[in-house]
């Protein structure tokens, strides 16, 4: 392939290069030797190739010199110069050996020290031409090597460089792999606490969430998604069995007071996080029971009343105050703004959308049926019921009507079955209970056939969305059918009733307008949930409540609105790799009542027991990047105790290396390596760099071991051992170092050191051979310090 178009500019210094990178952002890149950069550009491995190359070769950051007790090597020194330098060969031969092990002579003549330690991953999925695999390390959602060809990949852990697919798909960005890992360890309390960090009502979402996480689970490529919702439900029930351990009042109070309008999931989530932050919280709701749609609309067979009640009581235990039967109008809202330091509006969407069709006066509200059932209605709305709508509410209406005794229940929706907004498993459940589905049909008119019977004319819907994805259904007027029913229920969505919000409501959406954090145009007033987004899932409302709570806290602490967006903290650099999970493991079946035995009151599905939840957690792939750090110089510099001076700071070499999106170091995008500083080692020591590769002449390491063994009277006084190409970053073998101290460099010590080095390895199915290679190279490194030839 040919290089694409780009501009080229020469920087006279590294500082000037940093300024250019800062000015041009992600579309710029540094070029020195070019052995890494140009190949990637030629193959178009990046989703957005650089448009500006900043040439730093004339900057003068090259050469090897000794200053006192330190050897200083400029970042632009070529690997050939490092390998040939007499001081390097005499005092730090480890680095000379590592430089000599890189590529061919032609490459070493061009490649630089800085380029080698900053090179991008050599994983073939990352390097695939035309960005064929948009992997985690390039900002994608998957690590294709995990379930693919990982022969040369990590055996010591994976790098969580971005949210796992499940966490990324979850609107609340719950750390699902994190809490599943704690479940695997048997630490249920820590797992529950981690879950509560981003979702304060897992017992609720574990029952009613549309499980976006499962839809995007990487395990779908193997044998089916992890039953995350079921494990979440188990943890949620675990929390509610001992709420005092998880819903504690804050240790310190801020003295600030926040009014929360609406006790639905957005309001309750906001209240939870605000109270945790130490603020006084009062929740206002017009209904006689708190919970919003959770308490008044979602059927009990999906969400028992006790779960909602216990959830609310847990918040009250923290000190959240609830005032029910309060209708908020413009005057009341103005009073709340006077009396409280901040206000959160989470009033939901309760007003039914209507259909503009002939005979609309015969249509009834599906939502009213659901609220009636929650309030004790136990009579079928009719013998033959037609439900219009394709979302989750429509399915709930249909199933409820069927369980109340309707002989025939039919759902008519505009969407094809696979495109219905309702979760697929809920549609399957409805069909299993005898509900009929007329997909891709919409109502055109409703007429009276006889007393109490209506004839509904349906017309075939050919498409629901236009080319831009907007709702714009089109119909085939020549294809119609008629359905008779004695009750027609409409469940095509709801919209918020925001008469109280005045100028906060945005036209033409009819919703409250907010910024990305949930702040409205009125000082101190925030909003979230369905009142902002329109009808959405419970977990989306929870996420909005949390986001607004954090913004409210910042506002209260700073006394001014904030614009920064809350972001999750960085996860640990290396995570466990799931050896057993990469083979087929059947999904744990969920115990559920037979369709014929289900009723309107009893919960359909049973919460998983401890062994089942633990077994399901073991199916998690713990998705993270398993590409290794392929630099030859990196482990050598760490073993030598080097420091790296950049254009901004000086850092230990060990701390420099980190896996991230489009990077292998902890450098900022406009930060450059200036030089490496290596302390002159003791003369009584043995240094070695050992590398296993497929092609002896030019290949990257499959495994490498860099070692510095300081000797005193034939014993190893101090050891530094670093493993390369076996993890996303170079690995200090600290247990090996401690073991070797004070021992003879003999065969027994070499064998035991190798065994210790791989004790914490967890290889993938196709790279277990690396364990033996590590042991073999480490044995050679130890025996290199013994008298006589290495066996």
């Amino acid at each position: 392939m040919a290089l694409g178009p780009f501009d080229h500019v020469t920087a006279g210094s590294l500082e000037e290069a940093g300024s250019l990178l800062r000015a041009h952002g992600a579309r710029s890149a540094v070029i020195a030797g070019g052995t890494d950069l140009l190949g990637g550009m030629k193959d178009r491995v990046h989703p957005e190739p650089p448009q500006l190359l900043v040439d730093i070769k004339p900057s003068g950051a090259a050469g090897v010199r000794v200053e006192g007790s330190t050897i200083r090597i400029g970042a632009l020194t070529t690997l050939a110069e490092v390998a040939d330098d007499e001081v390097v060969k005499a005092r730090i031969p480890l680095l000379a050996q590592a430089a000599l092990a890189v590529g061919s002579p032609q490459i070493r003549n061009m490649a630089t020290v800085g380029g080698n330690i900053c090179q991008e991953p050599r994983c073939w999925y990352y390097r695939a031409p035309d960005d064929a695999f948009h992997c985690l390390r390039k900002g994608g959602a998957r690590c294709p090597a995990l379930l693919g060809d990982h022969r040369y990949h990590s055996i010591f852990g994976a790098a969580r460089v971005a949210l796992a697919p499940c966490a990324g798909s979850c609107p609340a960005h719950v750390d699902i792999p994190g809490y599943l890992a704690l479940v695997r360890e048997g630490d249920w309390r820590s797992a529950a606490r981690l879950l509560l960090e981003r979702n304060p009502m897992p017992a609720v979402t574990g029952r009613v969430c549309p499980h976006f996480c499962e839809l995007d689970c990487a395990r779908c490529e193997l044998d089916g998604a992890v039953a995350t919702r079921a494990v979440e439900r188990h943890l949620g029930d675990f929390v509610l069995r001992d709420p005092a351990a998880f819903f504690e009042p804050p240790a310190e109070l801020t003295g600030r007071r926040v009014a929360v309008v609406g006790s639905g999931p957005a309001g309750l989530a906001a209240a939870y996080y605000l109270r945790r932050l130490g603020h006084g919280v009062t929740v206002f709701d017009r209904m006689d029971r708190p919970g919003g749609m959770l308490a008044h609309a979602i059927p009990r067979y999906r969400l028992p009343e006790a779960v909602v009640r216990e959830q609310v009581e847990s918040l009250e235990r923290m000190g959240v105050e609830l005032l029910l039967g309060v209708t908020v109008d413009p005057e009341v809202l103005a009073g709340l703004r006077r009396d409280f330091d901040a206000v959160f509006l989470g009033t939901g969407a309760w007003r039914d959308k209507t259909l503009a069709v002939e005979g609309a006066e015969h249509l009834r509200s599906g939502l009213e049926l659901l609220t009636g059932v929650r309030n004790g209605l136990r009579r079928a709305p009719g013998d033959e019921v037609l439900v219009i709508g394709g979302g989750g509410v429509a399915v709930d209406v249909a199933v409820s009507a069927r369980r109340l005794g309707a002989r025939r229940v039919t759902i008519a929706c505009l969407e094809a079955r696979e495109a219905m907004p309702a979760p697929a498993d809920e549609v399957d459940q409805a069909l299993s209970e005898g509900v009929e589905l007329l997909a891709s049909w919409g109502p055109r008119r409703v007429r009276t056939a006889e007393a109490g019977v209506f004839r509904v004319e349906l017309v075939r819907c050919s498409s629901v969305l236009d080319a831009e994805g907007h709702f714009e259904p089109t119909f085939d007027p020549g294809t119609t059918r008629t359905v008779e029913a004695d009750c027609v229920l409409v469940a095509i969505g709801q919209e918020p009733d925001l008469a109280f919000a005045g100028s906060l409501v945005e036209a033409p959406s009819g919703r409250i307008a907010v910024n990305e954090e949930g702040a409205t145009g009125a000082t101190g007033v925030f909003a979230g949930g369905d009142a902002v987004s329109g009808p959405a899932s419970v977990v989306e409302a929870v996420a909005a409540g949390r986001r607004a709570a954090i913004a409210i806290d910042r506002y209260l602490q700073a006394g001014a609105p904030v614009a920064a967006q809350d972001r999750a903290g960085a996860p640990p650099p290396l995570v466990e790799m799931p050896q057993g999970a990469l083979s087929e493991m059947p999904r744990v079946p969920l115990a559920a009542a037979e369709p014929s035995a289900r009723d309107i009151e009893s919960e359909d599905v049973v919460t998983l027991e401890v062994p089942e939840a633990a077994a399901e957690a073991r199916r998690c792939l713990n998705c993270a990047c398993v590409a290794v750090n392929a630099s030859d110089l990196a482990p050598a510099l760490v073993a030598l105790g080097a420091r790296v001076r950049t254009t901004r700071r000086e850092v230990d070499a060990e701390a420099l290396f980190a896996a991230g999106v489009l990077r292998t170091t902890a450098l900022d995008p406009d930060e450059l390596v200036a030089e490496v500083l290596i302390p002159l080692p003791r003369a009584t020591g043995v240094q070695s760099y050992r590398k296993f590769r497929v092609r002896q002449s030019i290949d990257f390491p499959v495994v490498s071991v860099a070692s510095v063994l300081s000797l005193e009277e034939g014993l190893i006084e101090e050891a530094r051992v670093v493993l390369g190409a076996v993890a996303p970053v170079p690995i200090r073998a600290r247990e090996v170092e401690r073991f070797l101290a004070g021992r003879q460099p003999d065969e027994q010590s070499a064998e035991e050191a190798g065994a210790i080095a791989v004790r914490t390895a967890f290889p993938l199915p196709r790279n277990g051979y690396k364990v033996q290679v590590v042991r073999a190279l480490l044995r050679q490194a130890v025996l290199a310090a013994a008298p006589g030839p290495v066996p």
Side-chain angles (χ1 to χ4, degrees):
M1 298 181 184
L3 288 173
F6 61 87
D7 293 324
H8 179 277
V9 62
T10 299
S13 66
L14 295 181
E15 289 70 23
E16 181 185 350
S19 297
L20 288 167
L21 294 175
R22 198 157 44 248
H24 293 274
R27 301 306 295 273
S28 60
V30 163
I31 183 168
T35 57
D36 186 29
L37 176 68
L38 295 178
M41 291 178 62
K42 182 178 178 181
D43 290 340
R44 299 183 176 90
V45 302
H46 295 110
E48 293 185 1
Q51 301 298 303
L52 174 69
L53 298 189
V54 180
D55 191 345
I56 60 173
K57 289 190 289 293
S59 68
V64 179
R65 67 187 190 279
V66 179
E67 288 188 4
S69 60
T70 302
I71 299 176
R72 308 179 77 102
I73 303 177
L76 291 176
T77 308
T78 68
L79 300 184
E81 291 169 337
V82 171
D84 292 340
D85 187 87
E86 294 302 325
V87 173
V88 173
K89 288 191 292 185
R91 302 304 303 272
I92 47 174
L94 166 57
L95 191 64
Q97 295 167 23
L100 191 61
V102 176
S104 63
Q106 295 93 329
I107 291 175
R108 293 195 295 271
N109 286 334
M110 295 175 59
T112 63
V113 169
N116 185 268
I117 62 179
C118 295
Q119 66 180 288
E120 295 183 71
R122 292 287 166 181
C123 168
W124 39 50
Y125 294 103
Y126 183 96
R127 296 274 177 168
D130 296 316
D131 191 28
F133 301 95
H134 191 56
C135 67
L136 280 172
R137 292 297 286 273
K138 290 191 283 186
R142 298 274 195 281
C143 176
L146 195 60
L147 290 173
D149 192 339
H150 47 242
R151 284 173 290 166
Y152 302 152
H153 290 71
S154 176
I155 60 171
F156 280 100
R160 185 66 50 72
V161 299
L163 289 175
C166 54
S169 298
C170 171
H173 295 323
V174 172
D175 185 2
I176 296 169
Y179 78 67
L180 290 178
L182 290 167
V183 168
R184 289 194 293 275
E185 296 170 11
D187 192 349
W188 298 90
R189 285 187 178 273
S190 295
R193 287 194 174 94
L194 181 58
L195 175 53
L196 291 172
E197 286 298 315
R198 287 186 165 269
N199 179 3
M201 49 185 73
V204 173
T205 55
R207 289 169 164 85
V208 303
C209 184
H211 51 75
F212 303 106
C213 53
E214 296 184 25
L215 298 177
D216 207 25
C217 176
R219 195 173 183 92
C220 291
E221 300 175 13
L222 187 60
D223 57 8
V226 176
T228 308
R229 183 171 68 175
V231 180
E232 180 180 292
R233 171 174 166 167
H234 175 96
L235 286 170
D237 288 0
F238 174 78
V239 167
L240 292 183
R241 283 197 297 272
D242 187 15
F246 299 97
F247 295 91
E248 299 173 315
E252 296 182 9
L253 300 178
T254 65
R256 302 299 186 97
R257 300 170 64 236
V258 182
V260 173
V261 181
S263 66
L268 294 180
Y272 170 77
Y273 291 110
L274 286 165
R275 186 58 180 165
R276 273 185 41 165
L277 291 164
H279 304 303
V281 182
T282 303
V283 179
F284 299 85
D285 199 286
R286 64 183 177 88
M287 309 293 277
D288 59 351
R289 297 194 311 276
M293 289 284 185
L294 305 179
H296 295 276
I298 298 178
R300 286 188 178 92
Y301 60 80
R302 293 183 59 211
L303 181 61
E305 188 173 329
V307 172
V308 181
R309 183 179 65 251
E310 291 166 8
Q311 188 73 59
V312 173
E313 289 173 354
S314 297
L315 297 183
E316 291 180 296
R317 185 177 287 106
M318 296 176 69
V320 174
E321 182 183 12
L322 272 84
L323 295 180
L324 303 176
V326 179
T327 299
V328 174
D329 56 24
E331 184 177 348
V332 172
L333 178 58
L336 295 179
R337 295 184 63 187
R338 285 194 306 269
D339 298 339
F340 289 83
D341 297 296
V343 178
F344 175 75
L345 305 176
T347 51
W350 286 85
R351 188 168 59 193
D352 278 309
K353 290 183 178 179
T354 58
L355 277 172
V357 299
E358 181 183 334
E361 67 274 10
H362 302 305
L363 307 178
R364 294 172 54 184
S365 165
L367 181 60
E368 285 184 7
L369 174 71
L370 295 180
T371 57
V373 171
R374 288 298 299 236
N375 289 318
L377 174 68
R378 292 298 177 270
R379 185 179 66 256
D383 186 49
E384 295 190 352
V385 177
L386 174 64
V387 179
I388 298 173
V393 173
V395 173
D396 283 345
V397 170
V399 172
S400 296
R402 181 73 171 155
R403 294 190 185 185
L404 287 170
R407 180 177 59 82
R408 180 180 179 183
V409 179
T410 304
I411 296 175
C413 63
L414 298 177
E415 301 86 2
R417 178 177 173 179
E418 62 274 9
M420 290 175 65
D425 58 339
E426 293 178 19
V427 177
D428 292 340
Q429 173 194 351
L431 298 178
S432 73
E433 296 186 27
V435 174
E436 299 178 26
L437 176 62
L438 296 179
S440 299
W441 292 93
R444 183 156 71 179
R445 61 174 62 91
V446 181
R447 294 177 175 173
T448 303
E450 55 188 68
V453 177
F454 306 105
R455 295 175 62 85
V456 182
E457 184 180 328
L458 303 176
V459 59
R460 171 68 75 177
C461 179
S462 52
S463 67
V464 179
L465 307 177
D466 63 17
E468 285 73 40
H470 302 128
F471 182 74
E472 191 68 39
T474 58
F475 300 92
D476 178 4
T479 307
T480 63
R481 64 186 301 170
T482 299
V483 176
E484 290 192 352
D486 49 20
C487 177
V488 184
L489 297 168
V490 177
I492 58 172
Q494 299 82 45
E495 43 193 22
D497 184 357
L498 300 172
F500 71 91
S503 62
L504 299 179
V505 179
E506 180 182 51
S509 70
R511 303 169 191 160
I512 298 177
V514 299
N515 67 10
E516 61 183 6
E517 289 196 311
T520 71
T523 302
V525 180
F526 298 75
D530 293 358
V532 170
S533 64
S537 65
V538 172
V539 71
E540 288 171 296
V542 165
R546 179 182 181 275
R547 186 165 53 247
I550 294 171
I552 291 170
D553 178 64
R554 290 174 177 163
Y555 164 73
L556 294 176
Q557 298 298 327
V562 292
Q565 188 173 8
D566 169 57
R567 297 187 186 279
L574 295 182
V575 299
E576 165 199 3
M577 288 189 298
Q579 294 167 288
L582 292 176
S583 57
E584 290 192 10
M585 299 173 64
R587 180 176 166 122
V588 172
L590 304 181
E594 291 295 324
S596 60
R598 298 171 188 169
D599 58 41
I600 203 71
E601 290 283 352
S602 306
E603 197 167 8
D604 292 342
V605 180
V606 179
T607 299
L608 294 179
E609 298 293 338
V610 168
E612 298 167 322
E616 193 60 25
R618 287 193 290 272
R619 298 182 67 239
C620 174
L621 296 174
N622 210 2
C623 295
C625 172
V626 294
V628 299
N629 184 294
S631 168
D632 284 290
L633 297 194
L637 292 175
V638 175
L640 289 165
R643 293 183 64 77
V644 177
R645 185 175 68 81
T646 76
T647 50
R648 293 185 178 172
R649 51 185 164 153
E650 193 174 298
V651 61
D652 285 332
E654 187 175 359
L656 177 72
F657 300 102
V661 175
L662 297 175
R663 63 190 180 96
T664 54
T665 70
L667 298 176
D668 292 330
D670 58 345
E671 184 180 13
L672 299 172
V673 173
E675 61 179 348
V676 295
L677 315 175
I678 304 170
L680 285 169
R682 295 171 50 180
T684 55
V686 176
Q687 304 175 20
S688 68
Y689 181 74
R690 304 196 176 262
K691 172 179 178 177
F692 175 77
R693 50 190 158 185
V694 176
R695 296 173 295 178
Q696 190 62 27
S697 59
I698 64 171
D699 240 339
F700 297 95
V702 175
V703 177
S704 64
V705 174
S707 60
V708 177
L709 306 180
S710 300
L711 302 175
E712 188 70 36
E713 297 182 355
L715 299 179
I716 300 173
E717 184 182 29
E718 182 183 2
R720 285 181 70 97
V721 178
V722 182
L723 309 180
V726 292
V729 295
I731 297 290
R732 275 281 299 276
R734 285 185 166 81
E735 285 192 48
V736 172
E737 294 172 354
R738 288 190 288 270
F739 167 79
L740 289 175
R743 295 182 181 270
Q744 290 184 340
D746 56 20
E747 187 71 46
Q748 181 178 349
S749 295
E751 289 293 337
E752 290 188 45
I756 293 170
V758 297
R759 187 180 293 162
T760 57
F762 30 92
L764 299 167
R766 299 175 183 86
N767 68 2
Y769 71 93
K770 278 194 171 190
V771 171
Q772 299 306 318
V773 176
V774 169
R775 297 186 64 166
L777 295 186
L778 188 52
R779 172 181 173 275
Q780 294 174 14
V782 173
L783 293 179
V790 178

